[in-house]
Amino acid sequence: MSDLACELPTPTPSPLAVPAERLVTPRFARLLVMVFGSGLSMYLLTSVVPLYLAANGSGGVGAGLSTGAMMLSAVAMELLLPRMLRRFGYFGTLGLGLVLLGAPSLVLLFTSSLPLVLGVCVVRGAGLAIMVVGAVALVAELVPAHRRGEGLGVYGVVVGLPAVIGLPLGVYLTDVIGYDALFVLAAVASLAGLAMLPGMPRRSTGDEEHHVKVLGGLRGSGLLMPTFVFAAVTVAAGISVTFLPLGSDSHFAVAVALLLQAITAPGARWLAGRIGDRIGPTKLLAPAILLAALGAASLIFVGTAVAIIVGAALFGIGFGAAQNLTLAIMYDRSPKSRYGQVSALWNLAYDGGWGIGAILFGFVVAGTGYSLAFGLTAAIVALAIVPALKASLRATS
């Protein structure tokens, strides 16, 4: 009987019997804690710094420059990130990002001078770039490839929670605890993430990825479409969080709108990732951009509380879904050796659209008023529906 058993082939386990790989490992969990703190540091001050400058005489142009300076600084730093990751690894690079994002907030305790505040925004933008590029690249390595969309969705929920808390809370607390306490809170939120660094891998598992230039080899890579589509949406995102508090007379309505936008975005980001893993992210992209365009268009009625609240919810759904879908498309179209490039390129679209949109809007609104300027913003988002729809049709054919 034993001889017969030895001769029989060993049955192949059913795929259903193989236990699923764990998605949230201890390292992934430590990374999520870190990005939550750094995100809270960012979002507590995203709408507060423009208010701080406007309250001290810098007006709408100063408000737009503060957001633009932070995001364009992030763009410049993102071009250097693949090289920094190769030289210093995840441990050293993420540690530097936490310090640059958190510590400069304390300078705002002592000055409201526009040049100095812009300098703070520039340094914090560099820290922001390090955190978002490094974290997204690390997520792609820490989660199983067949669950990447879901892993990015979980990451999106956690990185979106600070927006849920920070955007409305920052605006609300300006009248409760004042600007100085908020600046200290923002510094502590980021610097506390240093305690999570000991659990982070010091090097990438694929060092060759960091030899790829951020803007190198894009022709024929399939990365340009999702990059430009996502940049169009982030233009509206940067404008809404910067200028909605200035364009509306009701801080309460703005706080509710920002809260809804912040809540819907991470939820949509997770759901889009989960569905996208099953049917393909390209098929969902055009509907996501359409929702974002409708939400942006509602801000034309910036003086109406219901319009900005409903619009913020619609935009949050479209924006959150677009975040996941564009990034998943880019990873699907790239080998592992280019994950660092994908992360940097996606974040260039995020921060570049956010920053450029805020700067240009600040000048446009001075001549047109808020309603027309918000209408132009919605038109930019709507234009991105065309390439997204073409890609979707190709994916279904």
Side-chain angles (χ1 to χ4, degrees):
M1 183 71 175
S2 60
D3 292 338
L4 179 61
C6 290
E7 294 174 5
L8 293 175
T10 303
T12 302
S14 167
L16 297 176
V18 178
E21 292 182 73
R22 186 177 180 182
L23 185 64
V24 182
T25 61
R27 279 183 169 179
F28 191 16
R30 294 177 77 85
L31 177 64
L32 294 177
V33 172
M34 189 187 304
V35 298
F36 176 84
S38 61
L40 185 61
S41 177
M42 173 194 170
Y43 283 111
L44 276 172
L45 302 187
T46 296
S47 295
V48 167
V49 170
L51 282 174
Y52 180 62
L53 285 172
N56 287 279
S58 295
V61 171
L65 288 175
S66 67
T67 298
M70 183 172 183
M71 293 307 176
L72 294 184
S73 169
V75 168
M77 177 60 73
E78 282 157 3
L79 294 172
L80 305 176
L81 254 296
R83 185 178 301 174
M84 289 181 63
L85 287 170
R86 182 185 66 187
R87 183 177 179 85
F88 304 112
Y90 288 115
F91 184 93
T93 304
L94 292 175
L96 177 62
L98 290 168
V99 172
L100 293 180
L101 182 59
S105 304
L106 300 175
V107 176
L108 299 177
L109 294 170
F110 308 103
T111 183
S112 61
S113 167
L114 179 59
L116 293 178
V117 173
L118 293 180
V120 168
C121 293
V122 166
V123 177
R124 295 189 78 229
L128 173 66
I130 291 172
M131 292 308 301
V132 294
V133 174
V136 171
L138 188 51
V139 169
E141 293 200 25
L142 293 179
V143 302
H146 66 281
R147 301 184 70 185
R148 184 179 298 131
E150 187 177 0
L152 290 170
V154 171
Y155 169 81
V157 169
V158 174
V159 82
L161 284 176
V164 175
I165 300 169
L167 280 175
L169 187 63
V171 174
Y172 172 74
L173 289 180
T174 55
D175 297 326
V176 179
I177 63 175
Y179 290 107
D180 287 353
L182 281 170
F183 298 151
V184 173
L185 184 59
V188 171
S190 183
L191 295 175
L194 294 171
M196 297 293 105
L197 279 176
M200 291 299 104
R202 294 181 178 271
R203 295 290 174 186
S204 166
T205 59
D207 285 339
E208 62 177 315
E209 71 174 86
H210 303 309
H211 293 275
V212 180
K213 293 182 179 180
V214 175
L215 301 179
L218 292 180
R219 181 175 297 178
S221 66
L223 300 180
L224 290 178
M225 183 281 292
T227 298
F228 286 117
V229 166
F230 186 52
V233 182
T234 62
V235 165
I239 288 171
S240 64
V241 299
T242 302
F243 289 97
L244 189 54
L246 302 180
S248 174
D249 294 330
S250 173
H251 275 195
F252 176 77
V254 170
V256 172
L258 292 177
L259 176 62
L260 281 176
Q261 180 172 316
I263 288 174
T264 54
R269 189 170 179 175
W270 171 80
L271 185 60
R274 190 169 179 84
I275 298 174
D277 280 346
R278 289 158 174 76
I279 68 171
T282 308
K283 297 177 183 178
L284 299 175
L285 187 56
I289 304 303
L290 176 59
L291 286 175
L294 291 173
S298 71
L299 297 185
I300 295 172
F301 309 101
V302 67
T304 305
V306 173
I308 64 173
I309 290 172
V310 173
L314 288 175
F315 182 80
I317 295 171
F319 179 49
Q323 284 179 288
N324 186 293
L325 297 171
T326 52
L327 187 56
I329 290 169
M330 293 169 76
Y331 276 132
D332 287 346
R333 295 179 177 183
S334 304
K336 188 174 182 180
S337 62
R338 287 183 176 266
Y339 280 2
Q341 180 191 27
V342 166
S343 177
L345 190 62
W346 184 84
N347 281 287
L348 280 172
Y350 194 121
D351 298 332
W354 193 296
I356 292 173
I359 291 174
L360 294 179
F361 192 94
F363 288 101
V364 170
V365 74
T368 66
Y370 282 97
S371 292
L372 181 56
F374 280 128
L376 293 173
T377 302
I380 292 173
V381 180
L383 287 175
I385 297 173
V386 177
L389 185 59
K390 288 182 179 179
S392 177
L393 293 174
R394 284 196 298 268
T396 56
S397 61

